[in-house]
Amino acid sequence: MLEMKVDEIHSALGEDEDAEAMRAEIKRLRARLSFSEDVRTRATYDVTKAQTIQKACIVAQKKVESQLKSCQNMIQAKDRELTEVLNELAKAKSLLANLGVPGYTET
């Protein structure tokens, strides 16, 4: 992308003394901005590795979210069952209190 912009500037400069000075400056800057093959290879490797790790993290996050949702559903189901059991116990206690069984009161 940068190379394309530099080439556009190069061609737009025309043919005068200032253009030659600008071309020389562009050439100097281009030399400073270029990286060795080793640096480019290492940067490509690092970016690819980072993308791979990012994808693995996304997959792991989705698995954890799925398991969390499953656990939440199980807890809600158990909570409903426990609520039903407690309601039944309260009804039984109330019934025993109404029947006058010793040790059971309405409270």
Side-chain angles (χ1 to χ4, degrees), residues 34-96:
S34 65
F35 299 103
S36 69
E37 185 66 28
D38 290 342
V39 171
R40 287 193 301 257
T41 302
R42 180 63 189 194
T44 302
Y45 170 79
D46 289 343
V47 168
T48 304
K49 186 174 180 179
Q51 288 173 336
T52 303
I53 291 169
Q54 180 187 26
K55 288 177 184 176
C57 288
I58 290 170
V59 169
Q61 179 186 6
K62 287 181 180 181
K63 286 182 179 181
V64 168
E65 286 174 353
S66 173
Q67 290 176 349
L68 178 61
K69 185 67 175 170
S70 177
C71 288
Q72 287 173 336
N73 290 341
M74 287 174 46
I75 289 169
Q76 288 173 350
K78 292 298 180 186
D79 186 49
R80 282 191 297 271
E81 289 175 24
L82 180 60
T83 301
E84 289 174 14
V85 168
L86 290 174
N87 287 340
E88 290 299 318
L89 286 172
K91 287 178 188 176
K93 186 175 179 182
S94 177
L95 179 64
L96 290 172

